[in-house]
Amino acid sequence: AQSVSQHNHHVILSEAASLELGCNYSYGGTVNLFWYVQYPGQHLQLLLKYFSGDPLVKGIKGFEAEFIKSKFSFNLRKPSVQWSDTAEYFCAVNARGNTGKLIFGQGTTLQVKP
Amino acid sequence: NAGVTQTPKFQVLKTGQSMTLQCAQDMNHNSMYWYRQDPGMGLRLIYYSASEGTTDKGEVPNGYNVSRLNKREFSLRLESAAPSQTSVYFCASNPSGTVSEQFFGPGTRLTVL
């Protein structure tokens, strides 16, 4: 069965620190990859996505992620976090041809201290 | 466009009561999904509808039923609520399944006493 693992459950950073959140998935076939963000009290919003092509994808608000196929990883990065980045971050995977069903990781809560 | 809307936003039920969570999208999307979100477990798929007229079970379907009323609406029903169904429920849609991201509604926070 497919699964997605996010290694960091709770991350605390100071403003201007760099961020990297890990995401690994288990599936041998072709996948689509996503990072969603949930700000406090809000619904999930798409940060970025990878379907094909350049494995380094850029999303909104200065976030980027790199797909490393050999490591089954899709880590999220941001060079300098802001207090407004405080949120929960979810990695999700969709196996191609699987009617769009998403498998989510457990989520990482990011707290940025001003 | 309102996107994906859900009603109600909050609900408290007693064990054994029934209720229906409503979801509608105005983006002409074919596929719709119901997820539940529990602390430390991310989102888990309950049921989905790949297209109007079809529904299929997801990862955690027990205790739930769904209806794809038309292309816009996809409802989730709890026939006999249990405390284990206390959760936040999200509806989502996407245009065609495999080649696009999903768009999420604001969620329904359900408490079963």
Side-chain angles (χ1 to χ4, degrees), chain A residues 102 104, chain B residues 33-36 43-46 89-90 102 104:
Chain A
L102 288 176
F104 281 86
Chain B
Y33 310 82
W34 275 106
Y35 295 88
R36 58 178 290 172
L43 279 76
R44 292 178 293 169
L45 183 65
I46 304 170
Y89 291 85
F90 287 99
Q102 293 184 17
F104 284 81

Side-chain angles (χ1 to χ4, degrees), chain B residues 48-109:
Chain B
Y48 67 100
S49 171
S51 60
E52 187 179 356
T54 68
T55 61
D56 282 290
K57 295 178 180 179
E59 184 183 355
V60 288
N62 291 345
Y64 304 95
N65 284 301
V66 290
S67 295
R68 182 76 183 266
L69 304 170
N70 48 55
K71 192 171 186 179
R72 287 188 63 247
E73 298 171 289
F74 188 39
S75 63
L76 178 71
R77 182 161 178 83
L78 287 70
E79 291 290 352
S80 179
S84 60
Q85 294 177 305
T86 293
S87 188
V88 182
Y89 291 85
F90 287 99
C91 178
S93 70
N94 78 0
S96 61
T98 63
V99 295
S100 176
E101 70 269 25
Q102 293 184 17
F103 297 81
F104 284 81
T108 295
R109 185 174 294 274

